[in-house]
Amino acid sequence: MPNQLSLEATKAATASETDAVFLTILTIYVDGEETLNFVNDKQNLVFGGKTFYAVGFTAVLPDQSSDGPNVCKLEIDNVDLSVYKTIKTAAVNHKITCDIGVVLSDQNVYEQGPLHFVLRNIKANKSVISGELHDLYMHDRKFTTITYSPEDFPGMYY
Protein backbone atom coordinates (compact mmCIF):
# COMPACT_ATOMS: atom_id res chain seq x y z
CA MET A 1 0.00 0.00 0.00
CA PRO A 2 1.51 3.38 -0.95
CA ASN A 3 2.25 5.88 1.78
CA GLN A 4 -0.31 8.62 2.28
CA LEU A 5 0.73 12.24 2.61
CA SER A 6 -0.50 14.21 5.57
CA LEU A 7 -3.22 16.79 5.03
CA GLU A 8 -0.65 19.59 5.44
CA ALA A 9 1.65 18.02 2.83
CA THR A 10 -1.23 17.58 0.39
CA LYS A 11 -2.22 21.22 0.85
CA ALA A 12 1.38 22.35 0.34
CA ALA A 13 1.81 20.19 -2.76
CA THR A 14 -1.38 21.45 -4.39
CA ALA A 15 -1.17 25.13 -3.35
CA SER A 16 -0.34 27.72 -5.98
CA GLU A 17 2.09 29.31 -3.49
CA THR A 18 3.45 27.95 -0.22
CA ASP A 19 6.35 28.39 2.18
CA ALA A 20 6.41 24.65 2.91
CA VAL A 21 9.21 22.65 1.28
CA PHE A 22 9.80 18.90 1.18
CA LEU A 23 13.23 18.18 2.67
CA THR A 24 15.31 15.04 3.02
CA ILE A 25 16.91 14.52 6.42
CA LEU A 26 19.76 12.15 7.24
CA THR A 27 20.91 10.86 10.60
CA ILE A 28 24.16 8.90 10.78
CA TYR A 29 24.79 6.58 13.72
CA VAL A 30 28.15 5.09 14.70
CA ASP A 31 27.76 1.92 16.78
CA GLY A 32 24.17 2.94 17.55
CA GLU A 33 25.10 6.41 18.81
CA GLU A 34 23.69 9.38 16.91
CA THR A 35 26.66 11.21 15.41
CA LEU A 36 25.65 13.45 12.48
CA ASN A 37 22.34 15.08 11.48
CA PHE A 38 21.97 16.64 8.02
CA VAL A 39 19.24 18.26 6.00
CA ASN A 40 19.50 18.67 2.24
CA ASP A 41 18.79 22.40 2.27
CA LYS A 42 20.56 25.75 2.44
CA GLN A 43 19.59 26.39 6.05
CA ASN A 44 19.58 24.33 9.24
CA LEU A 45 16.36 22.65 10.35
CA VAL A 46 15.10 21.88 13.84
CA PHE A 47 13.09 18.66 13.67
CA GLY A 48 12.05 16.49 16.60
CA GLY A 49 14.05 18.64 18.99
CA LYS A 50 17.29 18.06 17.06
CA THR A 51 19.19 20.41 14.78
CA PHE A 52 19.84 19.08 11.30
CA TYR A 53 22.72 20.92 9.67
CA ALA A 54 22.50 22.15 6.09
CA VAL A 55 24.73 19.93 3.95
CA GLY A 56 24.27 18.92 0.35
CA PHE A 57 23.71 15.19 -0.05
CA THR A 58 21.98 12.80 -2.39
CA ALA A 59 20.36 9.54 -1.36
CA VAL A 60 19.35 7.24 -4.19
CA LEU A 61 16.80 4.97 -2.54
CA PRO A 62 15.33 1.66 -3.77
CA ASP A 63 12.69 1.80 -6.42
CA GLN A 64 9.47 -0.17 -6.53
CA SER A 65 10.52 -2.45 -9.41
CA SER A 66 10.57 -6.22 -9.40
CA ASP A 67 14.11 -6.48 -10.82
CA GLY A 68 15.45 -7.59 -7.45
CA PRO A 69 17.58 -5.67 -5.00
CA ASN A 70 19.52 -2.78 -6.42
CA VAL A 71 22.35 -0.86 -4.80
CA CYS A 72 21.26 2.30 -3.07
CA LYS A 73 23.81 5.08 -2.79
CA LEU A 74 24.54 7.98 -0.50
CA GLU A 75 26.73 10.90 -1.55
CA ILE A 76 27.58 13.73 0.86
CA ASP A 77 29.31 16.86 -0.40
CA ASN A 78 32.78 16.92 1.12
CA VAL A 79 32.71 20.57 2.18
CA ASP A 80 33.47 20.12 5.86
CA LEU A 81 36.63 18.35 7.00
CA SER A 82 34.99 17.30 10.30
CA VAL A 83 32.36 15.25 8.43
CA TYR A 84 35.08 13.46 6.48
CA LYS A 85 37.12 12.77 9.63
CA THR A 86 34.09 11.47 11.53
CA ILE A 87 33.05 9.06 8.78
CA LYS A 88 36.62 7.98 7.98
CA THR A 89 37.37 7.24 11.64
CA ALA A 90 34.10 5.35 12.09
CA ALA A 91 34.55 3.30 8.92
CA VAL A 92 37.55 1.45 10.32
CA ASN A 93 36.01 -0.84 12.96
CA HIS A 94 32.54 0.48 13.64
CA LYS A 95 29.03 -0.18 12.39
CA ILE A 96 27.64 2.87 10.58
CA THR A 97 23.88 3.06 10.08
CA CYS A 98 21.69 5.78 8.61
CA ASP A 99 18.11 6.93 8.90
CA ILE A 100 16.72 8.82 5.92
CA GLY A 101 13.34 10.51 5.86
CA VAL A 102 11.32 13.12 4.02
CA VAL A 103 9.75 15.92 6.05
CA LEU A 104 7.81 19.08 5.38
CA SER A 105 9.82 22.13 6.41
CA ASP A 106 7.08 23.67 8.55
CA GLN A 107 5.83 20.43 10.20
CA ASN A 108 7.33 18.12 12.80
CA VAL A 109 6.30 14.75 11.28
CA TYR A 110 7.83 12.39 8.75
CA GLU A 111 6.06 12.31 5.41
CA GLN A 112 8.15 9.30 4.38
CA GLY A 113 10.31 7.13 6.59
CA PRO A 114 12.52 7.13 8.40
CA LEU A 115 14.08 4.36 6.37
CA HIS A 116 16.92 2.49 8.08
CA PHE A 117 20.12 1.49 6.28
CA VAL A 118 23.61 0.17 6.92
CA LEU A 119 26.32 2.27 5.25
CA ARG A 120 29.02 0.17 3.56
CA ASN A 121 31.84 0.55 1.01
CA ILE A 122 32.64 4.13 1.98
CA LYS A 123 34.87 6.12 -0.36
CA ALA A 124 35.96 9.75 -0.29
CA ASN A 125 37.66 12.18 -2.59
CA LYS A 126 38.10 15.94 -2.53
CA SER A 127 34.49 16.63 -3.57
CA VAL A 128 32.27 13.83 -2.24
CA ILE A 129 31.97 11.15 0.43
CA SER A 130 30.04 8.18 -0.96
CA GLY A 131 28.86 4.79 0.16
CA GLU A 132 26.33 2.07 -0.45
CA LEU A 133 23.12 1.89 1.55
CA HIS A 134 21.94 -1.61 2.42
CA ASP A 135 18.67 -2.18 4.17
CA LEU A 136 18.57 -4.02 7.46
CA TYR A 137 16.66 -6.93 5.99
CA MET A 138 17.92 -10.22 4.69
CA HIS A 139 18.01 -9.88 0.90
CA ASP A 140 21.48 -8.29 0.80
CA ARG A 141 23.10 -10.91 3.05
CA LYS A 142 24.93 -14.02 1.86
CA PHE A 143 23.53 -17.36 2.88
CA THR A 144 24.61 -20.95 2.52
CA THR A 145 23.57 -22.86 -0.58
CA ILE A 146 22.39 -25.87 1.44
CA THR A 147 18.91 -27.06 0.57
CA TYR A 148 16.84 -29.04 3.02
CA SER A 149 15.54 -32.34 1.77
CA PRO A 150 14.11 -35.45 3.50
CA GLU A 151 17.16 -37.45 2.39
CA ASP A 152 19.71 -35.09 3.93
CA PHE A 153 17.70 -33.94 6.97
CA PRO A 154 15.23 -36.71 7.86
CA GLY A 155 14.57 -35.30 11.35
CA MET A 156 12.93 -32.21 9.88
CA TYR A 157 10.25 -34.21 8.06
CA TYR A 158 7.57 -36.51 9.47
Side-chain angles (χ1 to χ4, degrees):
M1 176 179 230
N3 292 341
Q4 298 293 321
L5 291 177
S6 68
L7 181 60
E8 293 81 11
T10 304
K11 286 179 184 177
T14 58
S16 59
E17 289 186 26
T18 183
D19 291 333
V21 178
F22 286 96
L23 300 172
T24 304
I25 59 174
L26 168 69
T27 302
I28 297 177
Y29 300 88
V30 176
D31 290 335
E33 183 178 325
E34 191 172 305
T35 306
L36 301 168
N37 292 315
F38 299 135
V39 61
N40 192 4
D41 196 13
K42 294 183 180 185
Q43 59 188 9
N44 295 344
L45 173 73
V46 176
F47 180 82
K50 300 179 223 169
T51 301
F52 288 80
Y53 296 97
V55 172
F57 68 88
T58 304
V60 179
L61 299 178
D63 58 13
Q64 300 281 332
S65 70
S66 61
D67 295 338
N70 54 0
V71 176
C72 306
K73 296 184 183 205
L74 174 66
E75 292 185 346
I76 303 170
D77 292 348
N78 196 6
V79 294
D80 187 350
L81 191 57
S82 66
V83 174
Y84 171 74
K85 285 182 179 179
T86 300
I87 292 177
K88 181 181 176 185
T89 304
V92 177
N93 288 320
H94 302 279
K95 180 179 180 182
I96 302 175
T97 57
C98 302
D99 288 349
I100 300 173
V102 176
V103 300
L104 201 57
S105 61
D106 62 352
Q107 298 293 316
N108 205 17
V109 297
Y110 283 98
E111 294 298 333
Q112 174 71 44
L115 304 172
H116 309 288
F117 297 96
V118 175
L119 184 61
R120 298 182 187 157
N121 301 326
I122 300 168
K123 298 176 185 163
N125 61 34
K126 64 181 180 180
S127 61
V128 70
I129 301 166
S130 63
E132 294 177 1
L133 296 170
H134 295 270
D135 64 22
L136 299 175
Y137 303 105
M138 303 303 265
H139 71 75
D140 70 323
R141 312 270 170 114
K142 294 183 179 171
F143 289 96
T144 179
T145 58
I146 295 175
T147 57
Y148 297 100
S149 66
E151 295 81 27
D152 295 331
F153 298 92
M156 293 179 68
Y157 297 88
Y158 295 98

